[in-house]
Amino acid sequence: MKYYILLLMTILLSSTSVSASEWELEKYDEDNDIKVYTRLKPNSDSEFKEFKGVTHIKSRVTPFVALLDNAELACEWMHNCVKFEFVGETSATQKTSYSINKAPWPVTDRDLVVYSETIQDKDNYAVTISLSSAFDKVANDDDYIRVKELDGTWTFTPMDNGVVEVSYQLFLDPAGNLPSMLAASTVVDTPYYTLLNLREIIAKPELQSQQLTYISEPPAN
C-alpha cells in the first residue's frame, strides 16, 4: 500500500513540474542588452507561448509610465502597432485601451481591448502595470479578429546607478487561424522590437521631464 501511495505522489509531482514550464532564452542581443524568454503558460492548455523581454535602461521610473500613458506615441515604439487609443479611464492608474496590430498578408490583423492598472511598490519603488483583456468593452469590427485571451505585465524596477530594469511579460492567444511559424516568431519579435524601440524613444526630453503625482522616484544614492 505504501508503495502505491509513493508511486502516486511521484506521478503527481512529475506532472506538476511538467505543467510549470520553465522560461527558455530565445534571443539575446548583447549590444542592446535585450533578452527574450518564452514558455508554455503554466496551468493553461494553450499551444501558444508566453513571452518575457528584459532590458536595462538608464532613466528615472516616471518616464516609462508616462510613455505607456501616451497614446500619440504608442505606435512609434510598440511592435506592429497600427492604431492605439484610450477608450476608458476609471482613474489615472486604471485605463482601457483599444489597439490594432498588423499581421503579415494574408493573415487578418488583430484588434485588442486591454484594461491596465498601475501600482507602485512603496518599498522598492518598482512600478507594475498589469494588463488584462477587456474584449467586450468595444464593439467588434468585422475587419479584424478580436483577441479575447490576454494577460501580462510591464514592470519597471529601479536599480543602482540610476538604471531601471524593464520587464515586459505577456500571454496572448491570437484567435483565428495563425500559421505555427508566424506564431513562433511573433512571441520573440514582439518583445524584442518593442524593447529595442523603447530604448530609443524613452530618451525623448518630453518624457524625461515628466512628473506624475502617483509615481515616486527612489531617493538619490
Side-chain angles (χ1 to χ4, degrees):
M1 183 66 178
K2 290 183 179 180
Y3 169 78
Y4 290 108
I5 293 175
L6 180 61
L7 180 61
L8 179 59
M9 290 178 63
T10 302
I11 293 172
L12 289 173
L13 288 172
S14 298
S15 300
T16 302
S17 63
V18 170
S19 62
S21 179
E22 297 293 332
W23 289 108
E24 294 184 6
L25 181 64
E26 296 279 2
K27 186 180 184 71
Y28 178 30
D29 179 346
E30 187 173 4
D31 292 337
N32 290 296
D33 181 30
I34 299 175
K35 292 181 179 180
V36 176
Y37 304 85
T38 66
R39 68 176 179 180
L40 290 173
K41 185 175 175 61
N43 304 315
S44 172
D45 295 329
S46 176
E47 62 185 280
F48 298 102
K49 288 188 175 183
E50 181 179 25
F51 68 67
K52 179 172 66 173
V54 181
T55 190
H56 300 84
I57 303 174
K58 194 169 184 64
S59 172
R60 297 182 303 122
V61 177
T62 303
F64 295 104
V65 182
L67 177 60
L68 266 70
D69 279 348
N70 192 317
E72 293 181 1
L73 292 178
C75 289
E76 291 187 25
W77 65 281
M78 292 182 178
H79 187 54
N80 284 335
C81 174
V82 175
K83 177 181 179 179
F84 185 99
E85 62 182 343
F86 287 111
V87 294
E89 182 173 330
T90 305
S91 68
T93 60
Q94 297 174 307
K95 299 182 179 182
T96 302
S97 64
Y98 173 78
S99 61
I100 300 171
N101 282 9
K102 185 173 181 58
W105 186 90
V107 178
T108 304
D109 293 348
R110 264 59 177 174
D111 65 354
L112 310 89
V113 187
V114 178
Y115 171 76
S116 63
E117 183 171 5
T118 303
I119 298 174
Q120 184 170 35
D121 189 298
K122 295 180 180 179
D123 296 324
N124 65 5
Y125 297 90
V127 175
T128 299
I129 301 176
S130 60
L131 311 171
S132 58
S133 177
F135 68 91
D136 57 348
K137 299 300 182 182
V138 174
N140 286 337
D141 187 326
D142 292 338
D143 289 337
Y144 310 106
I145 293 178
R146 173 66 49 85
V147 171
K148 294 184 177 181
E149 189 174 352
L150 173 155
D151 64 82
T153 55
W154 279 97
T155 307
F156 307 107
T157 306
M159 304 180 74
D160 294 335
N161 302 317
V163 171
V164 174
E165 181 178 83
V166 179
S167 176
Y168 176 30
Q169 182 174 334
L170 187 72
F171 170 77
L172 180 153
D173 187 323
N177 295 320
L178 193 69
S180 58
M181 288 187 65
L182 178 59
S185 63
T186 298
V187 294
V188 176
D189 289 349
T190 297
Y192 174 73
Y193 287 108
T194 296
L195 290 178
L196 189 64
N197 296 335
L198 173 63
R199 292 183 62 85
E200 181 177 350
I201 200 170
I202 202 66
K204 282 181 174 287
E206 60 264 40
L207 293 173
Q208 287 297 321
S209 62
Q210 282 281 349
Q211 303 290 335
L212 298 172
T213 57
Y214 55 93
I215 298 297
S216 300
E217 295 291 338
N221 292 333

